[in-house]
Amino acid sequence: MTFSRGAASKPVFQKPRRLLAGLSAFLASAAATLAILTPQAAQAAAPAELRLDYAYYSPESLVIKRNGWLEQELAPDHTQVKWVLSLGSNRALEYLNSGAIDIGSTAGLAAVLGKANGNPIRAVYIFSRPEWTALVVRKDSPIKTLADLKGKKIAATKGTDPFLFTLRALHTAGLSRDDVEIVNLQHPDGRVALANGQVDAWAGLDPHMAAAQLDDGARLLYRNVDFNTWGFLNARQDFISAHPDTLAHVLKVYEKARLWIAAHPDETAKIVADESKLSLPVARLQLSRNDFSQPQPGERQLAALKAAAPLLVQEQLVKAGTDLNAVIDALIDVQSAQPVIAANGGK
């Protein structure tokens, strides 16, 4: 048998070889693609950088940052840690919404407000059950009751637990936001405005509220621990989905800090005082108003937030028709923290 030397007359047995080579290349490419898409591979990919906040109202974050525990925990994954200061829930929520941080610390009802308005977050851990806010007046103030606040100026940071606490407190006295003048100031500025007589009352937040009491002689006009919503550690939904292993490392370190705080109250107070640039007695007073024993998000938070949620509708802080119960159900993540809390015996 003979074959022509022309290009069109190459032996036909070369075509199957080309087909086999092409098929092999295709299968290799497909296998590589499948490997990339498998959950195991996706979970194994740690982020180059983790961005999270620290806040003076979150003692765990201050302890973790001071001791470098998160950097140590993430070192094997070569993940760098970037700490961002949050001065209030409003700032933490802004950073989360914009993607400036992956994990942030807020009050519970503030997180609901953010979630209802499109912030893509879930509450993955409870860093404390605090009484961190109250309505504060100067020591020589003639204001004695909530009813006396009618027509007065109140400093409050909009979008935070103290702001929402103020609205709930006013409602108990038959007042609304329209009956007072809310002066939107960040928490430290609110304390200064109160001391200088620029406002009549201030929706305080620890540790600044504790400092106002001890250093300025300020008086707590109205307290209600049930109107203080829980301290939530929130994570962006996309971060939870893309980096569940890294989130587990973060929660492990938060659990370590929570237990360390219970065992080392004096050292914790010193860290809080150093970080917030306030006195040791102020830090101790702040810590005395925190319960660190309930880290697992669950039914208690769901019930507390659903009881508080009507305020957001009444004050027109969310869009009309918003199903806040559904928002709260979507916010509370009851699964992410369970393994690390269980590893400590659920203490």
Side-chain angles (χ1 to χ4, degrees):
M1 181 180 293
T2 60
F3 298 93
S4 167
R5 295 179 182 274
S9 303
K10 291 182 181 179
V12 294
F13 59 78
Q14 290 186 8
K15 290 185 178 180
R17 287 181 180 175
R18 290 176 182 171
L19 289 172
L20 287 172
L23 181 59
S24 297
F26 171 78
L27 290 173
S29 175
T33 301
L34 286 172
I36 292 173
L37 294 177
T38 55
Q40 292 83 359
Q43 290 181 17
E49 182 180 71
L50 169 67
R51 301 158 302 169
L52 74 166
D53 77 344
Y54 67 104
Y56 303 142
Y57 51 85
S58 170
E60 285 98 328
S61 70
L62 303 181
V63 169
I64 292 166
K65 180 175 177 288
R66 170 66 65 89
N67 291 314
W69 289 340
L70 192 54
E71 289 81 355
Q72 296 167 22
E73 179 74 17
L74 297 179
D77 295 333
H78 307 289
T79 296
Q80 299 296 310
V81 177
K82 180 181 178 181
W83 291 99
V84 178
L85 175 62
S86 288
L87 291 175
S89 295
N90 62 325
R91 289 287 183 259
L93 288 166
E94 288 170 11
Y95 299 151
L96 285 162
N97 198 37
S98 67
I101 60 175
D102 307 301
I103 298 173
S105 317
T106 76
L109 194 56
V112 174
L113 180 59
K115 181 82 168 177
N117 288 319
N119 205 321
I121 56 171
R122 298 202 75 195
V124 295
Y125 188 81
I126 304 300
F127 62 81
S128 78
R129 172 70 169 102
E131 186 190 3
W132 54 19
T133 188
L135 282 172
V136 187
V137 295
R138 291 182 300 279
K139 60 182 178 181
D140 58 351
S141 173
I143 297 173
K144 303 298 182 184
T145 68
L146 287 173
D148 295 337
L149 290 173
K150 186 172 183 178
K152 299 295 193 293
K153 291 183 179 180
I154 305 174
T157 309
K158 289 184 178 179
T160 67
D161 218 34
F163 171 73
L164 298 169
F165 175 94
T166 300
L167 299 183
R168 296 179 78 182
L170 291 172
H171 282 206
T172 67
L175 302 176
S176 73
R177 183 167 42 167
D178 295 334
D179 292 311
V180 298
E181 181 181 347
I182 301 288
V183 181
N184 186 28
L185 295 172
Q186 280 297 143
H187 303 300
D189 300 327
R191 176 193 171 190
V192 173
L194 178 68
N196 292 341
Q198 296 168 300
V199 296
D200 303 291
W202 165 50
L205 181 73
D206 273 339
H208 311 291
M209 183 171 73
Q213 286 180 265
L214 296 183
D215 299 342
D216 306 339
R219 175 165 52 89
L220 301 188
L221 172 71
Y222 179 78
R223 300 174 69 173
N224 188 332
V225 67
D226 290 334
F227 284 2
N228 288 251
T229 54
W230 303 74
F232 281 12
L233 189 68
N234 307 291
R236 286 178 54 89
Q237 182 62 61
D238 55 0
F239 181 84
I240 296 171
S241 299
H243 305 294
D245 291 345
T246 303
L247 177 62
H249 287 305
V250 173
L251 296 178
K252 176 183 174 182
V253 171
Y254 259 81
E255 265 293 275
K256 178 179 179 178
R258 182 182 70 86
L259 296 174
W260 189 89
I261 287 170
H264 302 86
D266 292 337
E267 293 94 327
T268 302
K270 188 175 187 309
I271 290 173
V272 172
D274 289 347
E275 288 289 334
S276 61
K277 305 296 188 292
L278 296 170
S279 70
L280 196 56
V282 166
R284 287 183 176 135
L285 179 56
Q286 173 191 356
L287 290 170
S288 73
R289 295 198 277 234
N290 280 266
D291 175 1
F292 299 99
S293 67
Q294 302 173 60
Q296 174 63 56
E299 291 300 323
R300 293 195 68 180
Q301 290 75 34
L302 287 166
L305 293 176
K306 287 178 181 179
L311 168 79
L312 303 181
V313 176
Q314 293 165 10
E315 293 290 342
Q316 300 179 339
L317 298 173
V318 297
K319 295 178 181 177
T322 300
D323 185 345
L324 286 174
N325 284 347
V327 169
I328 293 166
D329 288 336
L331 173 68
I332 302 298
D333 178 350
V334 301
Q335 296 181 335
S336 291
Q338 283 180 342
V340 295
I341 295 172
N344 290 319
K347 295 179 181 178

